[in-house]
Amino acid sequence: MQIGPHILRNNVFVAPMAGVTDRPFRQLCKQLGAGYAVSEMAASNPRLWASEKSSRRIDHAGEMEPKAVQIAGADPQDLADCAKFNVDKGAQIIDINMGCPVKKVCNNWCGSALLQHEDLVERIVNAVVRAVDVPVTLKFRTGWDRENKNALRIARIAEQAGIQMLTLHGRTRADGYKGDAEYDTIAAVKASVKIPLVANGDITTPEKARFVLEKTKADAIMIGRAAQGRPWIFREIDHFLRTGEHLPPPMVEEVRHLMDEHLQAHYQFYGEYLGVRTARKHIGWYVQDLAGGEEFRQRMNRMESTDEQLLAVNEFFESQLKYGERLQYRLAEQMLAA
């Protein structure tokens, strides 16, 4: 798998997720087998570039290459300028967001709202590709709603403009994240273009990853929500795709060490006050399917210091050792049913 000059180590990617795929989490996913990761959305509005939030979103210091930044907006010139700004800051790949279905984004005619205006899509992709000398990619959805699926036309517009990779989520904007992703449209787009295509949507297991790759003939898959709390899913899927065999669940002691590493990096990235609060969602995802996880999550959400939070997480994972050396995901359900 290759994007421009960048040869990737595998075809299992991390999806950009606002409030989730910050630098510490991207780095952890790459460490655990992800072949590629894209930053959270960076706003194209130049008034926001110097804000603390935007600066943090495009911070790639020390990150495993290639460093990819996703940009979002509706004005072709603003997006072109934003792409140049991020390349000057070290971005090696620029990804244009036309896939986000969130109302706050779409109400500003950004994200997947752009799919309603193919002429604007064409002006945007041409402006951004011309503005930078690094590969430009596009993430989009199958259409605005199920009666207006235009992914094939969007893909052709993008390819003609010089976009070097497409990522297609198998839902429309109107679908949000409801229902099941469909893969027929992804397969049709793959058959119609010569550039690499990444399939995205509802890929939650190694078996589903293999099914989607076979169904769509896509060059790669992108994992989003399934990686929340389970960043080792990338090595599990990569191993299964290569060997047809499943890796066992991770060792409890390894996860305790990974959590310690992740949280330390998270606190350093965000600082004490914001760090302890933004870490809560990550910790909640890590423990949600483990014995005692919900009770621990509620207690952890009341903690106000990073030291207290880190100590509690270490103690929680040490407590999991009484159930075995490896994580026991189904044990929580079994205990509730007993």
Side-chain angles (χ1 to χ4, degrees):
M1 185 65 194
Q2 187 166 348
I3 307 173
H6 306 289
I7 299 173
L8 310 179
R9 59 179 174 163
N10 64 37
N11 63 344
V12 185
F13 301 168
V14 189
M17 294 175 280
V20 180
T21 50
D22 52 26
R23 190 187 73 199
F25 187 71
R26 292 195 305 271
Q27 189 75 330
L28 181 63
C29 291
K30 289 178 177 180
Q31 177 186 330
L32 291 170
Y36 178 62
V38 183
S39 75
E40 306 169 80
M41 287 185 294
S44 63
N45 185 339
R47 294 192 299 274
L48 301 176
W49 293 352
S51 70
E52 183 179 0
K53 186 175 183 179
S54 291
S55 297
R56 198 179 286 120
R57 284 188 168 188
I58 62 174
D59 185 341
H60 290 262
E63 185 176 348
M64 192 184 303
E65 296 184 352
K67 300 172 182 178
V69 172
Q70 185 179 78
I71 61 175
D75 182 82
Q77 189 58 55
D78 280 354
L79 283 160
D81 292 342
C82 183
K84 286 190 286 187
F85 173 80
N86 280 283
V87 169
D88 289 343
K89 292 286 186 180
Q92 297 166 303
I93 297 170
I94 295 293
D95 184 62
I96 305 172
N97 182 307
M98 293 188 189
C100 182
V102 176
K103 285 184 180 178
K104 181 172 69 173
V105 175
C106 288
N107 286 346
N108 291 318
W109 295 106
C110 303
S112 53
L114 292 167
L115 300 176
Q116 294 177 97
H117 305 285
E118 294 176 15
D119 58 333
L120 180 55
V121 169
E122 185 171 10
R123 285 189 283 129
I124 286 171
V125 292
N126 276 293
V128 175
V129 168
R130 286 197 300 262
V132 294
D133 58 0
V134 303
V136 179
T137 62
L138 175 68
K139 190 172 192 294
F140 66 122
R141 286 187 167 228
T142 56
W144 175 250
D145 57 32
R146 296 186 185 184
E147 288 69 47
N148 295 281
K149 290 186 178 181
N150 59 346
L152 282 167
R153 293 195 299 275
I154 297 293
R156 292 190 194 104
I157 289 168
E159 184 175 35
Q160 288 169 5
I163 292 292
Q164 296 196 32
M165 185 180 79
L166 299 168
T167 299
L168 182 54
H169 184 107
R171 288 183 174 89
T172 68
R173 187 274 160 188
D175 290 330
Y177 293 101
K178 301 186 299 292
D180 297 324
E182 59 93 1
Y183 306 111
D184 289 338
T185 303
I186 300 177
V189 170
K190 172 58 188 173
S192 74
V193 297
K194 295 183 173 61
I195 56 177
L197 177 74
V198 183
N200 177 221
D202 293 353
I203 301 170
T204 56
T205 65
E207 289 87 354
K208 188 66 175 290
R210 183 171 64 184
F211 167 79
V212 171
L213 284 170
E214 291 175 350
K215 169 79 174 177
T216 65
K217 310 304 181 189
D219 301 278
I221 51 169
M222 186 169 273
I223 313 295
R225 290 169 292 166
Q228 295 173 354
R230 295 191 186 183
W232 42 86
I233 192 172
F234 299 100
R235 71 181 183 195
E236 292 174 345
I237 290 177
D238 178 54
H239 181 82
F240 183 79
L241 292 177
R242 287 186 292 104
T243 69
E245 298 176 354
H246 286 278
L247 288 174
M251 303 289 286
V252 171
E253 188 57 30
E254 181 195 14
V255 174
R256 189 187 68 79
H257 175 75
L258 288 170
M259 280 293 299
D260 189 84
E261 183 180 289
H262 184 190
L263 289 176
Q264 294 279 17
H266 189 92
Y267 300 150
Q268 184 177 14
F269 192 66
Y270 287 99
E272 173 79 18
Y273 180 83
L274 198 55
V276 73
R277 286 157 178 78
T278 52
R280 288 170 181 163
K281 61 177 175 285
H282 286 282
I283 297 168
W285 291 326
Y286 277 108
V287 306
Q288 65 183 354
D289 291 327
L290 301 175
E294 178 56 25
E295 179 185 355
F296 172 75
R297 186 188 65 81
Q298 294 182 22
R299 179 166 62 88
M300 179 269 303
N301 282 343
R302 296 190 291 270
M303 297 175 187
E304 296 291 333
S305 79
T306 55
D307 287 343
E308 183 184 15
Q309 195 178 65
L310 188 60
L311 178 62
V313 168
N314 271 277
E315 289 176 347
F316 175 81
F317 279 99
E318 284 178 4
S319 76
Q320 295 296 302
L321 286 168
K322 65 186 175 187
Y323 304 114
E325 291 185 338
R326 297 187 180 275
L327 286 189
Q328 304 291 320
Y329 285 121
R330 313 310 302 177
L331 191 60
E333 292 180 7
Q334 294 167 11
M335 292 174 70
L336 286 171

